[in-house]
Amino acid sequence: MTSHAQLSSVPEAAPEQAPVLAMHNIRHAYGHHLAVEDVGLEVRQGEVVCLLGPSGCGKTTLLRIVAGLEVLQQGRVDLNGVPIGRPGKAHVPPEKRNVGLAFQDSALFPHLSVLQNVTFGLEALPVRERRRRALELLEQLGMGRYAETYPHMLSGGQQQRVALARALAPAPRLMLLDEPFSSLDARLRDRIRDDTLHVLKKVGAGALLVTHDPEEAMFMADRIALMRDGHIVQMGTPRELYCAPVDPFVVTFFGEVNELEGVVRRGRVDTPVGEVLAPALAEGSRARVMIRPEALRVVALDETPADHHSHVIMAKLLGRTSLLHICAHGAGGREDHLHARVPGVFLPEEGQPITVRLDPSQVFVFPADPGATAGP
Ligand code: ATP
């Protein structure tokens, strides 16, 4: 929790255009265990950046370094253009960094009402202004009518909203959020995420949010830093990561994919569902073709063709989409079992003959052999 009286602890001499957070060349180890290495990233004012990645990849460590809960070992951290941490230099303590913290287990003060919890960090403001600001935030997060309630009378989701309001109340320029929605059930999580996003955008704070859920990252983030084993693998907009992944890990992290192998001939790889361009791969090399289920366009045929044809093995309705298990027939009698995801209700019978076409924007080709050259 940060108070207005403490804002001056971080010098105000920041250049106008400086990002609210800049991390350079961060390395952090716990004993002999290297948790984070060579990480650099920026968060600009009003921008939501998500640290995304599997468990143990170093997301929380980065957040804790920014918050001042871990002492910086190597690299540099600037808030609003001013260094708050350099190895060997004085360490600005957490409560003097003017950052808002919202963690999964953000505990409220049990003996204070909701309103008192939110006004707690605002001693520097006149009482009336404190109250106005707290009520405004509670209102924005749908908690206005609980102002006089005590934390034990609230559900987990409601407590989470209050914790968020409390973190936002001192108007930090940077919010740090560590899996703040993960303890909530799916429907509540969607609503609180949505409210949080709108409040962050309204107050114009920069935000660094940790999550392991790719959909949450895409929902919340202006930019995503996808991490693996302590490194950032790719940093970009959700669209860049989803539509222009730099390696197979990035492709698979965003959902199920069909994987096929083939050999590059004249800059292309032949698959049972059509040719795929592989201009950056060496002629004759083996290619790993990754096809998102939604890239397969399935058309049912009225008649069974005389030759080998692709057909449906099974079809399941998943709600907004239907999932088709298909057997795709290729040259030389090759058969591949693929999953196709099509919008709405499309449930052809088992054995239904089909043709399958590819949407090339959802197909990615990488070298099958490590060390070879990748291509789009
Ligand atoms: P999760 O999503 O599970 O929270 P994460 O991506 O946030 O994971 P970190 O919590 O940053 O990952 O942990 C990175 C690595 O450092 C992990 O291997 C973890 O076991 C290790 N680690 C984290 N904190 C400590 C600690 N205090 N002492 C020793 N090792 C630690």
Side-chain angles (χ1 to χ4, degrees):
M1 191 55 47
T2 312
S3 77
H4 269 238
Q6 290 162 338
L7 301 192
S8 58
S9 305
V10 175
E12 297 281 344
E16 200 58 41
Q17 296 303 320
V20 286
L21 169 68
M23 305 181 85
H24 306 278
N25 195 26
I26 304 295
R27 182 184 190 278
H28 199 88
Y30 299 99
H32 293 297
H33 180 73
L34 185 59
V36 169
E37 192 174 29
D38 193 26
V39 167
L41 66 81
E42 287 186 352
V43 180
R44 302 175 204 125
Q45 179 155 16
E47 185 185 37
V48 178
V49 173
C50 280
L51 290 171
L52 173 67
S55 183
C57 71
K59 308 179 293 291
T60 297
T61 299
L62 285 175
L63 213 67
R64 288 175 58 83
I65 291 171
V66 179
L69 302 172
E70 293 288 340
V71 176
L72 185 68
Q73 296 174 355
Q74 186 177 309
R76 173 175 161 164
V77 178
D78 294 352
L79 281 180
N80 305 311
V82 177
I84 49 158
R86 273 184 189 163
K89 296 268 179 187
H91 173 75
V92 179
E95 67 278 12
K96 301 202 170 179
R97 296 191 172 199
N98 188 23
V99 296
L101 305 181
F103 288 178
Q104 183 185 338
D105 55 355
S106 297
L108 299 174
F109 304 116
H111 59 295
L112 299 182
S113 70
V114 163
L115 185 64
Q116 288 165 334
N117 262 280
V118 181
T119 55
F120 180 81
L122 304 177
E123 312 85 45
L125 295 180
V127 175
R128 189 185 289 226
E129 176 57 17
R130 261 185 246 173
R131 190 181 157 80
R132 190 201 61 74
R133 176 148 185 80
L135 284 174
E136 185 186 21
L137 275 167
L138 286 169
E139 206 61 58
Q140 284 170 11
L141 287 160
M143 290 298 293
R145 67 197 149 109
Y146 296 96
E148 303 307 330
T149 306
Y150 282 80
H152 72 274
M153 299 158 78
L154 301 177
S155 70
Q158 289 169 331
Q159 290 184 23
Q160 198 59 37
R161 287 170 193 240
V162 177
L164 204 62
R166 184 179 65 175
L168 283 163
R173 293 184 70 178
L174 179 67
M175 277 289 293
L176 302 175
L177 305 107
D178 192 353
E179 307 261 10
F181 317 116
S182 59
S183 60
L184 309 173
D185 73 59
R187 212 174 311 163
L188 191 58
R189 189 169 58 222
D190 289 351
R191 249 191 24 233
I192 297 186
R193 259 186 212 161
D194 193 46
D195 288 344
T196 304
L197 180 62
H198 289 295
V199 172
L200 285 173
K201 290 296 176 188
K202 184 150 192 259
V203 301
L208 188 61
L209 184 147
V210 162
T211 179
H212 60 270
D213 176 354
E215 205 177 301
E216 179 162 296
M218 294 183 89
F219 182 88
M220 294 295 292
D222 297 300
R223 289 187 303 141
I224 296 172
L226 179 59
M227 296 185 67
R228 178 182 48 190
D229 298 337
H231 296 265
I232 294 180
V233 180
Q234 186 170 0
M235 172 104 202
T237 62
R239 184 178 176 167
E240 282 165 345
L241 270 74
Y242 197 77
C243 299
V246 295
D247 74 11
F249 170 76
V250 183
V251 183
T252 52
F253 202 82
F254 285 92
E256 186 203 7
V257 279
N258 298 292
E259 295 218 28
L260 300 171
E261 271 207 15
V263 175
V264 181
R265 304 271 180 233
R266 294 180 303 283
R268 291 159 193 268
V269 184
D270 192 29
T271 80
V273 285
E275 279 193 333
V276 175
L277 294 178
L281 267 62
E283 180 70 12
S285 66
R286 286 193 310 126
R288 180 175 177 186
V289 181
M290 307 181 84
I291 303 171
R292 290 227 164 87
E294 59 268 34
L296 294 170
R297 301 283 153 81
V298 175
V299 180
L301 298 173
D302 291 337
E303 290 178 18
T304 306
D307 60 346
H308 282 301
H309 58 274
S310 299
H311 65 271
V312 173
I313 299 169
M314 200 190 316
K316 302 271 186 192
L317 180 62
L318 301 184
R320 269 166 268 178
T321 59
S322 300
L323 181 71
L324 272 52
H325 298 244
I326 60 179
C327 176
H329 282 266
R334 173 176 169 171
E335 288 186 358
D336 283 284
H337 181 148
L338 303 175
H339 286 178
R341 198 181 272 263
V342 298
V345 182
F346 180 54
L347 300 170
E349 297 285 318
E350 179 185 343
Q352 166 72 51
I354 51 173
T355 56
V356 185
R357 297 199 201 298
L358 272 184
D359 168 6
S361 68
Q362 295 293 330
V363 180
F364 310 100
V365 187
F366 299 97
D369 307 312
T373 323

